[in-house]
Amino acid sequence: MQSILRNLLLTLLLPLSAMYAEDTRTASFPDLESLLEAGPEAVELTSQERQLYDMIIEYRREHGLSEIPLSRSLTFVAQVHARDTAYNEFPPQCNRHSWSENGPWQGGCYTSDHANAPVMWEKPGELTAYPGFGFEIGCYVSIGATAAMCLSGWQTSPAGHDQVIRNTGPWSQVEWNAIGIGIYKTEAHVWFGRETDPLSVSDQ
């Protein structure tokens, strides 16, 4: 397990009008293209994504914290970003909060000094009708990201991922009212938001 955890490259991803038109930049990636065409209203979770959501909620419950409603909008952003980071390479200074130029969104390099934080914060409003900023934690596992591996890594991460999940430290005065989950190949992204999503998954 230790060797697996050492393979985790964990990055904290912190908060842009709906845009689902066909884009030739995504044509080489049919699963991404179909996801964009369907939009957040058609979001469905994979078994691993559902497991990660359940594990995060149970972990919060163990610490006396409330459940966070599952958001279709933030899940859409998470699923799109998981594919973007899986398909594209970024310069060494750009962590996994970065977005490529290869899609119908505003690309940008997210650096460790958070100088370009809006490239993260504003993505939910750019890609969906979500009414607020988005804050992201991410996980990379070379052999394939899973719910258990990523949550375990976040819980022991020195970069503050556990604080985001449990609303501690600088996040202690923040209340999460929306959460989105995306897992694809080597990538896992979880997005948190303070505002309620009109597209919350109320039946799950």
Side-chain angles (χ1 to χ4, degrees):
M1 187 61 181
Q2 291 298 319
S3 62
I4 293 175
L5 289 177
R6 281 196 294 269
N7 286 329
L8 291 171
L9 299 178
L10 298 160
T11 55
L12 177 63
L13 311 174
L14 305 174
L16 288 168
S17 304
M19 190 173 182
Y20 310 124
E22 289 187 22
D23 193 301
T24 57
R25 293 169 294 180
T26 63
S28 299
F29 314 121
D31 55 344
L32 174 56
E33 188 174 21
S34 62
L35 178 63
L36 290 166
E37 289 175 352
E41 295 85 357
V43 155
E44 294 183 0
L45 272 69
T46 66
S47 59
Q48 279 294 307
E49 289 168 346
R50 181 69 206 190
Q51 181 179 349
L52 181 53
Y53 173 73
D54 290 342
M55 291 175 70
I56 288 174
I57 297 307
E58 179 59 28
Y59 180 51
R60 285 175 54 85
R61 187 176 294 118
E62 291 170 359
H63 291 273
L65 300 169
S66 63
E67 181 174 341
I68 309 172
L70 184 58
S71 159
R72 291 188 190 276
S73 298
L74 295 187
T75 293
F76 177 76
V77 176
Q79 291 177 344
V80 170
H81 200 202
R83 286 156 177 77
D84 184 45
T85 52
Y87 287 140
N88 296 286
E89 294 185 4
F90 298 87
Q93 72 273 19
C94 303
N95 63 34
R96 275 180 160 72
H97 296 308
S98 303
W99 287 73
S100 78
E101 303 288 344
N102 299 320
W105 52 71
Q106 181 69 42
C109 175
Y110 197 107
T111 51
S112 59
D113 61 1
H114 309 299
N116 198 19
V119 79
M120 176 211 303
W121 296 342
E122 298 173 355
K123 270 297 175 291
E126 178 186 356
L127 292 173
T128 76
Y130 184 72
F133 285 172
F135 304 86
E136 179 186 44
I137 58 174
C139 167
Y140 167 83
V141 185
S142 61
I143 60 174
T146 67
M149 285 182 186
C150 288
L151 181 58
S152 178
W154 289 325
Q155 288 170 331
T156 58
S157 166
H161 304 82
D162 190 63
Q163 293 179 331
V164 177
I165 296 171
R166 294 195 294 117
N167 294 108
T168 61
W171 306 95
S172 61
Q173 300 304 309
V174 175
E175 180 181 357
W176 299 133
N177 289 299
I179 186 173
I181 313 288
I183 299 177
Y184 186 77
K185 296 185 176 179
T186 58
E187 314 292 324
H189 293 275
V190 178
W191 285 72
F192 298 85
R194 291 170 291 196
E195 289 76 17
T196 299
D197 182 14
L199 292 179
S200 289
V201 186
S202 58
D203 59 341
Q204 297 202 29

